[in-house]
Amino acid sequence: MTKWVYTFGDGAAEGRADMKNLLGGKGANLAEMASLGLPVPPGLTITTEVCTYYYDNGQKYPESLKADVDAAVEKIEKSVGAKFGDAKNPLLVSVRSGARVSMPGMMDTVLNLGLNDQTVEGLAAMSGNERFAWDSYRRFIQMYSDVVLGVDHYHFEELIEMHKEDKGVDLDTDLTAEDWKLLAGQFKAKTEEELGRPFPQDVQEQLWGAISAVFGSWQIERAKVYRRLNNIPESWGTAVNVQAMVFGNMGDTSATGVAFTRDPSTGENEYYGEYLINAQGEDVVAGIRTPQNLTKRAREAAGATAPSMEESMPEVFGQLADVFVKLERHYKDMQDIEFTVQHGKLWMLQTRNGKRTAKAALKIAVDMVAEGLIDEKTAVLRVEPAALDQLLHPTLDPDAPRDLLTRGLPASPGAASGAVVFTADDAEAWAKDGRDVILCRLETSPEDIHGMHAAKGILTARGGMTSHAAVVARGMGRPCVSGAGQLRIDAKTETLVCMGREVKKGEKITIDGATGEVMVGAVKTLQPELAGDFASLMVWADKYRKLRVRTNADTPGDTQTARDFGAEGIGLCRTEHMFFEGDRIVAVREMILAEAVDGRKRALAQLLPMQRGDFVAIFKIMRGLPVTIRLLDPPLHEFLPREDDEFEDVAKAMGTTADLLKRRAAELHEFNPMLGHRGCRLGITYPEIYEMQARAIFEAAVEVEKETGDTVVPEIMIPLVATEKELAILRARVEAMAEEVFAEKGHTLTYMVGTMIELPRAAICADQIANSADFFSFGTNDLTQTAIGISRDDAGRFLEEYVRKDIFAIDPFVSIDQDGVGALVKLGAERGRSTKPNLKLGICGEHGGDPASVEFCHGAGLDYVSCSPYRVPIARLAAAQAALKG
Ligand code: ADP
Ligand code: MG
Ligand code: MG
């Protein structure tokens, strides 16, 4: 018989922390905390298998579930000494969702369930606190109506606002028992008016309504969006937790709060959190009242006057601090905690491994190694490679002039400039058009997720460090300034007003998520500092990884950046980018438009010294590290003039007319250039082009070896090879050129000739091609295009929908399609090495910096990955994790 329900409480539990798949993260950790002897209100967890069953069976529950829940509720009743639905001594519960991984804000919780017109009186009598009882009841009606019955929140908020206005008070805390009683009545009436039936008084109906709502919320739109953005499968389902209520709203010795055992923003080993006296549940994160600091230190640092918990409730704070230590020792990781204090007694309501910025992840991992909590390997596995991106992003140049508009909270680090937009939809639309935007909201909600994702940064006028905007932005790695209270964000007129200054939609602002500053205009940024914790972790990563990491770099500038990031060579240096620089393009165009070999050679002779100069610079920066140079790849017409005056310039240089050139240009037109006259096909038909490039490479290599004494081993890479013959012909020409240059210079050097594997035929015939190759580099951008038969430039129109419909789990240009394209890579690797066991294998293309693809490459036995300079550290860490996991 399947066990559908697990109980916890009173120092024991049926579940454990490692049962997250079954109990969800929240349920598993509640069970674990209960077993550890921490004060956890007793409760029960309905498993994720029930959710799966529910959706597989037309939204019906397993037969025995009702009886199982009844039995578990009875256990809670015994533990608490109250009875569910009892008019005199009612047990109240919360109904909480909990998926395997936390999905912040996605699922709705119902508190104070079990209250009705009778039990509220019982609660009042029992607690001796009428105000508390009616406050709880009205909260319950409000939440239950919203979450379970679908009556929108704002109806109730409006009633509260109107009542406060009538009474002439500002704060919820100014409302009395009578006020809440009156409002509870109005709430019920409102719900009845909206639904045409009364608010449910039967507590069993309430309970099962809430349970079904939690399961139902697995399929609401914002939960789906979150899952899609975070690659969480639909099939996982959520668990439901039903837990005895504890009350933070019982007066001034009660409170509720959220805390992290270390600072999730900086990683400092300092308790970090917020709390509210006489409040319940989500009040802290909802931004209705301004929460107070947890510690005295944090309060002083913030310049706040309202006492910290450390000051106002020193005894409970002490207990909380003990719990923090206990939890960290047990979980060996930083914890994110929810707690409630009821009449001076501490209750733990949640713990989980805390989300953190990349900076904090690094610091915590490195610190915990020093503290002896974890070892180096664990530390390497702790930091999500993709999250390093946050650290590699620019920060504001401290010397750049800045026009400060206002300050908010430093909610998520990193600096960003962009055009101001006021809605998530605008953010998404503008970003699609390639514009950088800053999304400005009063506060964000789960409905804004797509816009937050599209924006470069997020700015809110309300909300604290644990507000929705702050939590989500940190998770996404977007810079965020929250709670900029002086801002008036007017979404209607699409303006942002601050102390008389106005910024309109579309105007540029800059935010600094590390300081909370908001500036008018775009501010100059600086490259990140890569010493300290980052360097320590990278040293450990390098120790454990098997894959080498190279970079794709075309310019000396990129090459230097990549070296600073730890690149161990260049895996792809595209020579065509060099052709566009400055006045070279005229010579390039002369070469292309020349009618015959002579003209081409004349133009190429002009290009030779320029290419040689570039290679000299790159070889010098790489100081003996391998450099793979790809010979010219794109179709020639990409370089052609488009405007009349550009034709005139080239015509003048060539001593011909613009009209003649235009005719020649028209001849070069191709219907399908991606599959046209490009890659090695250029080399086959215009030998002089590759000869010039080979000459430039060898001359540069000789020059640098002679000058610096470093060994230079150029790896010359021929693109778009489909057959062994192509490579054999071109290899022979490169070798001939090498001999020629070595003879001229009286200096020989070692070099390699290899090919890109970027056509399915090449992968399939890799055993033949390997005869003429010293190395393969899998060009997975083109291989993806040619294997799937989609053009990257045109896929935008349908790819997103393909991903949404789950035809592709993820964009195959972002993460390698392991089943298809990946299989070709594996095949190519195996067949290539069947001919030459020592064949050097690498991958270049966007995938080289994608952690999942890096893991794949590790498994496929490649020697290295090559990626863009900023992704080099990500690839290093991903490679280490792949090695440690394998
Ligand atoms: P979320 O996943 O959105 O954080 P939770 O289930 O954790 O939702 O609940 C939201 C809030 O309700 C939490 O801040 C928690 O403090 C409060 N809460 C949940 N269950 C109880 C309970 N049994 N007693 C008191 N407060 C509770
Ligand atoms: Mg919530
Ligand atoms: Mg929670």
Side-chain angles (χ1 to χ4, degrees), residues 26 103-109 282 285 338:
K26 206 176 282 170
M103 293 174 53
M106 293 297 123
M107 302 285 183
D108 295 307
T109 294
E282 307 260 8
V285 289
E338 294 173 7

Side-chain angles (χ1 to χ4, degrees), residues 503-621:
V503 180
K504 288 206 173 59
K505 178 176 168 181
E507 289 177 0
K508 285 228 166 98
I509 61 166
T510 299
I511 60 167
D512 186 345
T515 62
E517 287 175 318
V518 181
M519 280 118 328
V520 178
V523 179
K524 186 168 170 249
T525 52
L526 282 186
Q527 296 315 314
E529 172 58 55
L530 300 172
D533 295 331
F534 178 84
S536 306
L537 193 87
M538 283 296 142
V539 167
W540 298 334
D542 291 346
K543 200 148 97 183
Y544 297 110
R545 73 185 154 91
K546 301 269 184 328
L547 278 172
R548 309 230 124 222
V549 177
R550 297 195 190 183
T551 189
N552 301 343
D554 308 333
T555 62
D558 278 359
T559 308
Q560 188 59 55
T561 307
R563 277 226 70 168
D564 295 343
F565 282 139
E568 298 166 295
I570 292 180
L572 176 64
C573 174
R574 305 177 198 93
T575 47
E576 57 268 21
H577 287 201
M578 300 173 176
F579 282 14
F580 279 108
E581 243 164 62
D583 42 345
R584 300 172 181 197
I585 188 67
V586 176
V588 171
R589 287 170 176 163
E590 280 185 60
M591 184 264 292
I592 296 168
L593 292 168
E595 296 280 352
V597 188
D598 285 356
R600 260 199 306 278
K601 282 195 169 159
R602 252 197 319 277
L604 286 166
Q606 295 176 55
L607 287 171
L608 175 69
M610 303 180 197
Q611 286 246 290
R612 188 176 53 220
D614 291 328
F615 295 141
V616 164
I618 288 168
F619 289 144
K620 278 187 179 165
I621 292 170

Side-chain angles (χ1 to χ4, degrees), residues 493-759:
T493 60
E494 306 195 303
T495 46
L496 203 148
V497 184
C498 186
M499 304 196 290
R501 297 186 69 181
E502 215 183 76
V503 180
K504 288 206 173 59
K505 178 176 168 181
E507 289 177 0
K508 285 228 166 98
I509 61 166
T510 299
I511 60 167
D512 186 345
T515 62
E517 287 175 318
V518 181
M519 280 118 328
V520 178
V523 179
K524 186 168 170 249
T525 52
L526 282 186
Q527 296 315 314
E529 172 58 55
L530 300 172
D533 295 331
F534 178 84
S536 306
L537 193 87
M538 283 296 142
V539 167
W540 298 334
D542 291 346
K543 200 148 97 183
Y544 297 110
R545 73 185 154 91
K546 301 269 184 328
L547 278 172
R548 309 230 124 222
V549 177
R550 297 195 190 183
T551 189
N552 301 343
D554 308 333
T555 62
D558 278 359
T559 308
Q560 188 59 55
T561 307
R563 277 226 70 168
D564 295 343
F565 282 139
E568 298 166 295
I570 292 180
L572 176 64
C573 174
R574 305 177 198 93
T575 47
E576 57 268 21
H577 287 201
M578 300 173 176
F579 282 14
F580 279 108
E581 243 164 62
D583 42 345
R584 300 172 181 197
I585 188 67
V586 176
V588 171
R589 287 170 176 163
E590 280 185 60
M591 184 264 292
I592 296 168
L593 292 168
E595 296 280 352
V597 188
D598 285 356
R600 260 199 306 278
K601 282 195 169 159
R602 252 197 319 277
L604 286 166
Q606 295 176 55
L607 287 171
L608 175 69
M610 303 180 197
Q611 286 246 290
R612 188 176 53 220
D614 291 328
F615 295 141
V616 164
I618 288 168
F619 289 144
K620 278 187 179 165
I621 292 170
M622 294 318 285
R623 303 218 44 175
L625 293 178
V627 176
T628 304
I629 297 166
R630 179 177 72 186
L631 301 186
L632 194 67
D633 180 48
L636 294 180
H637 63 80
E638 275 189 18
F639 303 100
L640 285 181
R642 295 187 207 287
E643 309 295 332
D644 281 348
D645 54 333
E646 292 174 338
F647 274 106
E648 294 291 351
D649 285 350
V650 184
K652 213 179 287 158
M654 291 174 73
T656 178
T657 70
D659 279 347
L660 272 173
L661 289 185
K662 282 183 186 166
R663 200 176 316 148
R664 171 90 179 114
E667 283 167 22
L668 287 168
H669 170 80
E670 289 183 308
F671 287 102
N672 199 344
M674 185 186 97
L675 304 175
H677 191 186
R678 53 166 288 215
C680 69
R681 299 157 198 174
L682 290 171
I684 296 283
T685 51
Y686 300 134
E688 52 283 358
I689 299 179
Y690 279 11
E691 278 167 7
M692 179 281 284
Q693 293 197 293
R695 173 172 279 278
I697 292 165
F698 291 124
E699 287 182 0
V702 168
E703 185 180 326
V704 173
E705 272 205 359
K706 277 186 171 168
E707 194 188 315
T708 63
D710 289 333
T711 314
V712 180
V713 185
E715 300 176 359
I716 296 178
M717 181 156 78
I718 316 280
L720 214 74
V721 162
T723 69
E724 185 192 353
K725 267 267 166 60
E726 288 168 319
L727 188 58
I729 292 171
L730 294 169
R731 180 184 183 102
R733 289 202 199 130
V734 170
E735 283 172 346
M737 182 55 72
E739 292 314 312
E740 209 174 303
V741 173
F742 297 162
E744 283 168 25
K745 305 281 174 194
H747 184 102
T748 47
L749 43 80
T750 320
Y751 64 94
M752 291 201 255
V753 181
T755 180
M756 293 185 80
I757 301 290
E758 49 190 338
L759 296 172

Side-chain angles (χ1 to χ4, degrees), residues 187-248:
F187 284 8
K188 276 190 298 174
K190 186 61 169 183
T191 298
E192 185 160 358
E193 179 190 321
E194 290 294 311
L195 294 176
R197 63 192 144 85
F199 185 85
Q201 293 288 314
D202 179 84
V203 296
Q204 285 294 337
E205 183 188 341
Q206 292 175 357
L207 178 62
W208 287 95
I211 292 170
S212 298
V214 172
F215 286 137
S217 73
W218 182 252
Q219 293 294 2
I220 56 177
E221 198 49 38
R222 63 185 196 221
K224 287 186 184 170
V225 170
Y226 187 88
R227 285 201 289 276
R228 199 166 63 234
L229 291 174
N230 292 278
N231 297 317
I232 298 170
E234 298 272 338
S235 62
W236 280 7
T238 180
V240 180
N241 301 289
V242 178
Q243 189 177 23
M245 282 298 299
V246 288
F247 302 98

